[in-house]
């Protein structure tokens, strides 16, 4: 019988991220406290978001609106990195980035966590920006999945391709 496996990844559903950004931009355009502040939320690249406003407080408030929409769309805030408001002429801007993929250091942390848990025969292998975990018994893999989800990581974790 072949080994069962699953992959641990850190990815962002681009469609859900786009929906969250569009909902936040629509709310900012309609809310009274954002009137006449020139506040906008828009894409500035593949996974890069830029918030622009005439005041630092409104830029921070727009960031809070965007974070709220991101959470409501089921995306972890650990997958969204943003900076502080910075002055750019007469405007204030905040850049944010959706991060995808597990770095080699993060994969090594996950691998060490799985090894230290003590499941015999569980093998893990770093494959690019994901970590493949294999074992003969599915019960052991279920335990590893529960361990991976319950541990507090500084990055978003999803389990895919469970077979």
């Amino acid at each position: 019988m072949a080994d069962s496996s699953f992959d641990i990844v850190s990815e962002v559903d681009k469609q859900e991220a786009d929906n969250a950004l569009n909902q936040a931009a629509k709310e900012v355009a309609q809310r009274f406290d954002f009137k006449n502040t020139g506040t906008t939320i828009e894409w500035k690249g593949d996974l890069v978001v830029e918030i622009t406003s005439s005041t630092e407080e409104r830029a921070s408030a727009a960031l809070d609106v965007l974070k709220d929409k991101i959470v409501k769309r089921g995306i972890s805030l650990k997958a969204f990195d943003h900076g502080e408001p910075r002055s750019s002429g007469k405007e204030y801007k905040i850049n944010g980035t959706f991060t995808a993929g597990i770095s080699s250091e993060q994969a090594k942390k996950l691998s060490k966590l799985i090894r230290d848990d003590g499941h015999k025969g569980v093998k893990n292998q770093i494959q690019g920006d994901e970590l493949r975990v294999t074992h003969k018994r599915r019960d052991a893999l279920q335990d590893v999945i529960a361990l991976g989800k319950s541990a507090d990581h500084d990055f978003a974790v999803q389990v895919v391709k469970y077979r």
Side-chain angles (χ1 to χ4, degrees), residues 1-6 121-124 132-138 141 161-163:
M1 184 170 138
D3 287 355
S4 298
S5 69
F6 67 88
V122 174
K123 296 177 238 158
N124 47 41
R132 170 141 315 151
V133 181
T134 59
H135 194 276
K136 290 182 179 166
R137 289 189 357 229
R138 288 182 174 238
L141 290 180
K161 299 179 189 169
Y162 182 64
R163 52 187 172 278

Side-chain angles (χ1 to χ4, degrees), residues 133-158:
V133 181
T134 59
H135 194 276
K136 290 182 179 166
R137 289 189 357 229
R138 288 182 174 238
D139 293 344
L141 290 180
Q142 292 285 346
D143 294 341
V144 173
I145 289 172
L147 172 73
K149 287 184 176 180
S150 67
D152 187 26
H153 307 289
D154 57 345
F155 53 96
V157 173
Q158 294 92 24

Side-chain angles (χ1 to χ4, degrees), residues 102-122:
I102 297 176
S103 70
S104 60
E105 297 87 32
Q106 293 168 336
K108 287 176 185 175
K109 282 183 193 176
L110 281 170
S111 181
K112 182 176 178 353
L113 177 72
I114 292 168
R115 253 192 338 270
D116 292 347
D117 188 48
H119 282 289
K120 300 284 186 201
V122 174

Side-chain angles (χ1 to χ4, degrees), residues 64-132:
D64 291 340
V65 169
L66 178 61
K67 284 182 181 180
D68 184 47
K69 298 302 179 187
I70 288 171
V71 170
K72 285 184 179 178
R73 298 304 297 187
I75 301 172
S76 173
L77 282 180
K78 292 179 181 179
F80 182 67
D81 297 327
H82 60 85
E84 295 298 316
R86 58 178 166 65
S87 179
S88 176
K90 293 183 178 182
E91 298 178 327
Y92 287 88
K93 294 185 179 190
I94 300 174
N95 284 350
T97 308
F98 288 97
T99 56
I102 297 176
S103 70
S104 60
E105 297 87 32
Q106 293 168 336
K108 287 176 185 175
K109 282 183 193 176
L110 281 170
S111 181
K112 182 176 178 353
L113 177 72
I114 292 168
R115 253 192 338 270
D116 292 347
D117 188 48
H119 282 289
K120 300 284 186 201
V122 174
K123 296 177 238 158
N124 47 41
Q125 179 181 14
I126 300 171
Q127 297 181 336
D129 59 352
E130 61 185 35
L131 180 70
R132 170 141 315 151

Side-chain angles (χ1 to χ4, degrees), residues 1-53:
M1 184 170 138
D3 287 355
S4 298
S5 69
F6 67 88
D7 294 337
I8 299 176
V9 298
S10 179
E11 54 190 28
V12 174
D13 184 354
K14 292 179 184 175
Q15 184 62 50
E16 289 297 330
D18 188 47
N19 290 342
L21 183 127
N22 290 336
Q23 287 176 348
K26 186 175 182 181
E27 182 172 330
V28 164
Q30 291 178 346
R31 275 183 34 182
F32 180 76
D33 55 338
F34 286 106
K35 291 277 189 220
N36 300 323
T37 60
T39 304
T40 60
I41 302 173
E42 55 191 13
W43 290 108
K44 285 295 179 187
D46 190 27
L47 292 173
V48 180
V49 175
E50 184 177 74
I51 299 171
T52 307
S53 184

